[in-house]
Amino acid sequence: MTDGTTDLQALAAEAYIYGYPMVLNLDEVDRVSRTGMGTLSPAPFNEFSHASRLAGPDDTFVSVNNDTVYSLAQLDLSGGAQLLTVPDTDGRYYVLQFVDAWTNNFAYVGRRATGTGAASFLLTPPGWDEEVPLGATRIAVPTEVATIVGRWACSGPDDLAAVQALQEDTLLEPYWTASGESHGLPTHTYIPDGEPELLFYEKLRARMAAFPPAPADLAYQQRFAPLGLLDAQSPYASPEPDLANALRAGFAAGKEKVESASTQGDIPEQNGWKLTYHAFDYNADHFEVGTHKGPQWIYTDRELGRMVRATSARTALWGNHGYEAAYAMAWNDGDGQPLEGGQSYTLRFEKPPPVDAFWSITMYDLPDYYLVDNPVARYSIGDRTPGLSYDDDGSLTLRLQPQRPADDKTAANWLPTPSGNFRPILRMYTPHAAVFDGTYEVPPIRRRQAE
């Protein structure tokens, strides 16, 4: 292999890390808008799809939560602005999270960010310079295509009707100046079957052109010109052999780096948990309604931010900033051993996580991070779970294992585990400062000895 090809391979690996979040994100945008996802029906751009229940194993989306009922809208503002209206939720927790094409969380609407009263918001495309209608708040969307991820607190089946009424009153409609002629996602050149690596770079090329990032990243993109990523026409249908080989090798190397960083990267740990409280702080450019601009919530090191963005897309696509919902993830127990489905574990909370809303533990399989079917259809457990059994001192001991515990008291605190290795997530919705300053510690997961 020549030095030039080696350099191209390293550049291709760098481009993979940079482009993976957007390629994955827009693939999911395309998938859910065309075919839906579990209880979320397919919906065209600029229309909400509202789930009718909490997510389950058929909702095949990375780290989907089982705490809230989802509402999802894929925005296409190439035809003009959209007016969003939200109802009065009478104090109920909800959040509408806004994610641009590059996976930046750039705005929030909901109880923490804007309160629970009825309100309207004008969602405007890049370059928009018209008047905002009276009573509406403008949200400038950085890319023409973006996503609204809505989450509605739901206490169980008996609460679904109330949630569905709120969903029906959450609406998107074209602003009166909109033309209605939208572009959607860009088309890309056909790549022969068996060439997923070349298809990845072709998608990246087409989408980089369609959805320019912030100026700092736009300048950074210039380094990828030797890979053909800045070409107006695709070079990947019939690429030069050296380029094709470099792209294939760079794809593999970049993917391996993302996988390794997702589980072994420089992420703060506490009692075996990876504290991903700042996993979505890579947005350094776009701050709209409901976001925090303080330095503790922004990665100023853009190279680090690009890797964090890639690992966050891999493990928790469309996750919130920590100040909306803080996430802790565990691949290992408190002794550093991998979590295995054939074992039995305990998780003892001497004090509950300090939150303004609620908290939960959700169980996922590996390597996909999907919910896993189990006989009792319990995929998460937390402070809203009916019938939890607390100890006399007020502590709460959860049981993580594949089989139902023998006694009913222990079974009330049971979260089923899958047969293979697994990864739980602790979610803390609107957490207190104690979560971030270390005053509160997440307890370790302990393996139980065979009885």
Side-chain angles (χ1 to χ4, degrees), residues 10 56 68 83 113 133 149 172 255 306 334 362 407 432:
T68 63
L83 188 65
V149 186
L172 276 171
K255 183 176 182 179
R306 286 189 284 269
T362 308
D407 66 285
H432 294 178

Side-chain angles (χ1 to χ4, degrees), residues 95-124:
V95 59
L96 301 183
Q97 168 200 2
F98 293 74
V99 189
D100 74 7
W102 292 90
T103 73
N104 294 307
N105 296 332
F106 64 90
Y108 294 92
V109 168
R111 191 172 83 173
R112 177 199 61 83
T114 58
T116 61
S120 60
F121 301 86
L122 189 67
L123 315 182
T124 64

Side-chain angles (χ1 to χ4, degrees), residues 93 95 97-99 103-108 112 151 276-294 296-299 312 316 318-327 428-431 436:
Y93 175 84
V95 59
Q97 168 200 2
F98 293 74
V99 189
T103 73
N104 294 307
N105 296 332
F106 64 90
Y108 294 92
R112 177 199 61 83
R151 300 171 175 89
T276 58
Y277 302 157
H278 295 281
F280 298 92
D281 294 357
Y282 47 80
N283 173 22
D285 304 291
H286 306 292
F287 301 95
E288 293 292 319
V289 173
T291 56
H292 289 348
K293 293 182 66 173
Q296 71 271 35
W297 298 109
I298 302 172
Y299 280 109
S312 297
W318 297 349
N320 291 287
H321 276 101
Y323 47 78
E324 184 68 48
Y327 309 115
M428 295 170 278
Y429 292 84
T430 54
F436 305 113

Side-chain angles (χ1 to χ4, degrees), residues 143-290:
T143 51
E144 288 184 344
V145 166
T147 300
I148 302 176
V149 186
R151 300 171 175 89
W152 306 87
C154 180
S155 59
D158 293 341
D159 196 28
L160 281 171
V163 171
Q164 288 165 358
L166 296 172
Q167 291 175 314
E168 290 174 1
D169 289 336
T170 304
L171 303 171
L172 276 171
E173 56 185 338
Y175 187 49
W176 72 274
T177 59
S179 69
E181 298 176 1
S182 300
H183 307 318
L185 294 176
T187 57
H188 50 73
T189 299
Y190 171 75
I191 303 296
D193 292 342
E195 292 285 0
E197 301 90 348
L198 299 186
L199 180 57
F200 170 87
Y201 291 103
E202 168 57 12
K203 288 179 177 179
L204 180 57
R205 181 198 68 83
R207 293 169 181 179
M208 278 171 46
F211 308 115
D217 267 9
L218 196 60
Y220 170 78
Q221 288 181 358
Q222 298 302 310
R223 65 190 289 102
F224 300 127
L227 300 175
L229 287 173
L230 304 185
D231 291 6
Q233 301 296 322
S234 175
Y236 306 126
S238 300
E240 294 293 329
D242 282 354
L243 176 60
N245 291 334
L247 292 173
R248 296 184 187 107
F251 180 97
K255 183 176 182 179
E256 193 281 328
K257 288 180 179 179
V258 171
E259 292 292 327
S260 177
S262 296
T263 57
Q264 308 297 327
D266 187 19
I267 302 171
E269 292 193 30
Q270 190 179 82
N271 294 325
W273 293 86
K274 297 281 189 179
L275 305 183
T276 58
Y277 302 157
H278 295 281
F280 298 92
D281 294 357
Y282 47 80
N283 173 22
D285 304 291
H286 306 292
F287 301 95
E288 293 292 319
V289 173

Side-chain angles (χ1 to χ4, degrees), residues 246-415:
L247 292 173
R248 296 184 187 107
F251 180 97
K255 183 176 182 179
E256 193 281 328
K257 288 180 179 179
V258 171
E259 292 292 327
S260 177
S262 296
T263 57
Q264 308 297 327
D266 187 19
I267 302 171
E269 292 193 30
Q270 190 179 82
N271 294 325
W273 293 86
K274 297 281 189 179
L275 305 183
T276 58
Y277 302 157
H278 295 281
F280 298 92
D281 294 357
Y282 47 80
N283 173 22
D285 304 291
H286 306 292
F287 301 95
E288 293 292 319
V289 173
T291 56
H292 289 348
K293 293 182 66 173
Q296 71 271 35
W297 298 109
I298 302 172
Y299 280 109
T300 56
D301 182 337
R302 286 184 176 269
E303 182 177 0
L304 174 61
R306 286 189 284 269
M307 178 56 84
V308 171
R309 183 177 63 187
T311 58
S312 297
R314 174 67 183 93
T315 60
L317 184 66
W318 297 349
N320 291 287
H321 276 101
Y323 47 78
E324 184 68 48
Y327 309 115
M329 308 178 185
W331 285 264
N332 300 321
D333 62 24
D335 296 318
Q337 299 302 308
L339 295 171
E340 300 175 358
Q343 302 295 327
S344 176
Y345 301 89
T346 60
L347 177 59
R348 182 173 182 269
F349 290 92
E350 293 186 7
K351 295 181 179 180
V355 295
D356 283 334
F358 53 92
W359 65 269
S360 70
I361 299 284
T362 308
M363 184 62 60
Y364 299 95
D365 70 359
L366 292 177
D368 295 320
Y369 306 116
Y370 292 163
L371 301 175
V372 183
D373 198 12
N374 63 74
V376 293
R378 175 178 280 183
Y379 311 110
S380 64
I381 193 168
D383 59 355
R384 301 177 304 154
T385 302
L388 287 178
S389 177
Y390 289 83
D391 298 329
D392 292 340
D393 61 0
S395 64
L396 176 66
T397 301
L398 303 180
R399 290 287 291 269
L400 281 59
Q401 60 187 59
Q403 298 86 19
R404 183 186 188 278
D407 66 285
D408 291 339
K409 182 177 180 180
T410 304
N413 297 357
W414 173 42
L415 181 60

